[in-house]
Amino acid sequence: MQVQETQQNSRPLLAHRRLAPTEDFSKSDVHVYQRPNDDDIYQEEKGLPTSSGRQRRWNEAVKLGTWPRILYVVVGLVLIIIWIGVMIAFAREEVKAQQRNLEGDTRTRPNRTANQLVMKGTLKNFDPVERSLVVSWGLTYVDGDNKSLRPLGDTEDSSFAVNIYRDVKVVFERRPLTPEANQTIQQLGIAPPDLRIDNATVLPNGVLGLHTWDGLDTSIDFTQAVEDNPWKQPLFGYPFDVWAGSIVFAATDREYAEAANLTNTYAFGLDGAVLADSTLNWRIRVENSNNTCDYSGEFAGCELHVDFTGKRPLLVKFAAILAVLVNWTSTIGIFLLTCEAVIMRRVHILSETDILGVCLTALFALPSVRAILPGAPDFGAILDLVGVIPNIIIISVCTTMMALAKLTTRKPPKEE
């Protein structure tokens, strides 16, 4: 009976010793809690500050894995929606720019009247290296609503031949008419010519107005629009560079000139110019279109002076600025990692993180990011001086420091 009683009394004691660690064991370094839920217990036993209630709840959520996954999926979807919205806004801005080009410059837009002749250009190509803009021109007239433009030659009444000249000047016609020519124009019921092209022997650059498909291609030289401003200098100031170009048009009535038996006579003024379509990565528009025939006072000729401006659209500027921010963010992150690993001697960064591979990858990735920018010029723009060259230098230095640190780091001797 005494033996059985002793065994019955000893069982709880043995169970207690099996469940509760000894005092020496609890104070030893072997006693480590590895589960996430035991972090607070371990911190409390070591006398370290424990996590707050919010952080504890977040740790529990991470362990379950439901709400954190929902959170980052929602954040990803929100970022995608924001990006799509930004792209849609840029697309709408491009459409509005094309509409403004078709309406013409703000000076001539409200002054249109029916039957005015307007040069309508279609943008074909802009070469920033050659600094030239190619435009295909057609001749249109203002419809009865004082707004719409219709191509000349769409009806029999609106079809007549117009000689178009570029970069010439209109002067007074002082050549005498032959008796036969004088008789011919009297039979047609037209007045004698009073204006002509200054070069009487120059050939017209094209003939427009007989058919709706008549066209004239011109190449327009572009130069720097804003002086003494490197941020707006062509190509060098990418993506904020501003370009400027101009062209002069003059027109003569081909049929009347043949009736008068005089070359390049019966000059008249064109009432404006508009642009249609658009060019990739460029925003070309007519800044001014002045008909010098409308000038009062001293005779100023009778030509159409068209001034153009070329800028980068908002999409190009957005992409360039975003690339610079990404480059500097990557550079700062690599720089901080290098300083923590080499200067602060946090050896685990060298051993546990392939930071050298990250540095080498970034060293070749930054020029690649710059190369895919829309409309990016040759290397040497302000963008390279601000967001590419300093980044490559910093990352190169960090790569060298990381390589030297890995070469000079030795493993600690094994404990016997």
Side-chain angles (χ1 to χ4, degrees):
M1 293 294 292
Q2 187 177 0
V3 174
Q4 294 180 356
E5 184 179 356
T6 304
Q7 291 179 351
Q8 291 177 357
N9 294 334
S10 62
R11 287 176 184 174
L13 296 176
L14 293 175
H16 175 72
R17 292 177 62 84
R18 198 166 49 243
L19 292 176
T22 62
E23 183 179 358
D24 295 336
F25 179 76
S26 63
K27 294 181 180 179
S28 65
D29 295 334
V30 181
H31 182 53
V32 178
Y33 297 95
Q34 297 181 355
R35 292 185 303 167
N37 293 339
D38 295 334
D39 286 343
D40 292 334
I41 302 175
Y42 176 73
Q43 299 278 18
E44 186 177 356
E45 289 184 356
K46 291 295 184 181
L48 300 175
T50 59
S51 59
S52 61
R54 180 181 300 178
Q55 186 176 0
R56 190 179 299 111
R57 289 193 297 269
W58 174 252
N59 293 335
E60 292 288 341
V62 171
K63 180 182 177 182
L64 296 175
T66 303
W67 285 108
R69 289 191 177 94
I70 294 176
L71 179 62
Y72 68 68
V73 168
V74 170
V75 171
L77 291 176
V78 169
L79 292 177
I80 293 174
I81 293 173
I82 292 175
W83 181 263
I84 294 175
V86 171
M87 295 301 105
I88 292 176
F90 286 142
R92 290 180 177 176
E93 196 269 339
E94 180 69 23
V95 173
K96 291 181 180 179
Q98 295 183 16
Q99 293 176 349
R100 289 193 298 267
N101 274 346
L102 282 176
E103 293 174 353
D105 63 274
T106 56
R107 188 190 65 83
T108 60
R109 192 184 309 162
N111 300 327
R112 288 180 184 171
T113 57
N115 299 323
Q116 283 185 333
L117 295 180
V118 177
M119 294 288 290
K120 182 178 179 180
T122 302
L123 297 170
K124 298 184 68 175
N125 180 46
F126 179 67
D127 189 346
V129 177
E130 297 293 335
R131 299 195 175 194
S132 63
L133 172 68
V134 179
V135 183
S136 180
W137 297 94
L139 196 55
T140 62
Y141 66 96
V142 181
D143 204 0
D145 59 357
N146 297 335
K147 182 179 180 181
S148 302
L149 298 177
R150 301 183 60 180
L152 207 62
D154 61 340
T155 62
E156 185 177 355
D157 295 335
S158 65
S159 177
F160 65 96
V162 178
N163 291 335
I164 300 295
Y165 308 81
R166 63 165 296 178
D167 300 331
V168 295
K169 187 172 179 59
V170 175
V171 296
F172 288 111
E173 177 61 88
R174 303 189 184 279
R175 293 174 294 179
L177 295 173
T178 63
E180 294 80 4
N182 196 8
Q183 182 179 359
T184 301
I185 64 173
Q186 288 180 0
Q187 291 175 355
L188 294 175
I190 57 178
D194 56 350
L195 298 174
R196 68 173 178 88
I197 305 299
D198 57 348
N199 189 348
T201 60
V202 68
L203 296 176
N205 296 95
V207 180
L208 306 177
L210 285 176
H211 316 94
T212 57
W213 57 83
D214 291 340
L216 168 65
D217 290 346
T218 59
S219 179
I220 304 167
D221 294 333
F222 269 56
T223 58
Q224 184 174 353
V226 181
E227 300 291 339
D228 302 327
N229 190 343
W231 291 97
K232 296 185 178 181
Q233 183 177 347
L235 295 182
F236 182 72
Y238 173 88
F240 304 104
D241 46 343
V242 182
W243 303 63
S246 62
I247 192 172
V248 178
F249 286 116
T252 62
D253 191 308
R254 187 184 187 93
E255 181 182 357
Y256 286 6
E258 291 177 352
N261 197 23
L262 293 174
T263 58
N264 301 336
T265 191
Y266 279 104
F268 62 92
L270 301 171
D271 299 296
V274 297
L275 290 176
D277 211 341
S278 62
T279 54
L280 184 64
N281 300 327
W282 286 98
R283 182 64 44 76
I284 309 294
R285 62 169 302 175
V286 174
E287 195 69 24
N288 293 296
S289 56
N290 300 319
N291 182 10
T292 56
C293 295
D294 297 335
Y295 291 172
S296 59
E298 184 178 357
F299 178 71
C302 198
E303 311 95 21
L304 177 65
H305 294 253
V306 185
D307 298 325
F308 302 88
T309 57
K311 300 179 181 179
R312 311 277 180 170
L314 292 179
L315 178 60
V316 175
K317 297 178 181 178
F318 172 78
I321 294 174
L322 186 62
V324 171
L325 294 177
V326 169
N327 285 355
W328 274 110
T329 302
S330 304
T331 303
I332 293 173
I334 293 174
F335 179 77
L336 292 177
L337 284 175
T338 303
C339 293
E340 288 291 323
V342 178
I343 299 176
M344 303 304 295
R345 299 180 181 179
R346 300 178 67 177
V347 185
H348 70 277
I349 297 179
L350 290 173
S351 59
E352 299 177 3
T353 307
D354 192 7
I355 186 62
L356 185 59
V358 174
C359 293
L360 290 173
T361 303
L363 190 61
F364 293 97
L366 294 186
S368 301
V369 172
R370 193 264 186 204
I372 64 175
L373 290 177
D378 294 336
F379 200 81
I382 287 184
L383 178 73
D384 304 319
L385 304 178
V386 173
V388 178
I389 294 178
N391 304 77
I392 293 177
I393 294 174
I394 294 173
I395 294 177
S396 300
V397 174
C398 292
T399 304
T400 305
M401 294 177 64
M402 282 294 181
L404 292 176
K406 280 184 172 290
L407 289 174
T408 56
T409 301
R410 296 182 181 274
K411 292 183 178 180
K414 296 182 178 180
E415 296 182 358
E416 296 181 356

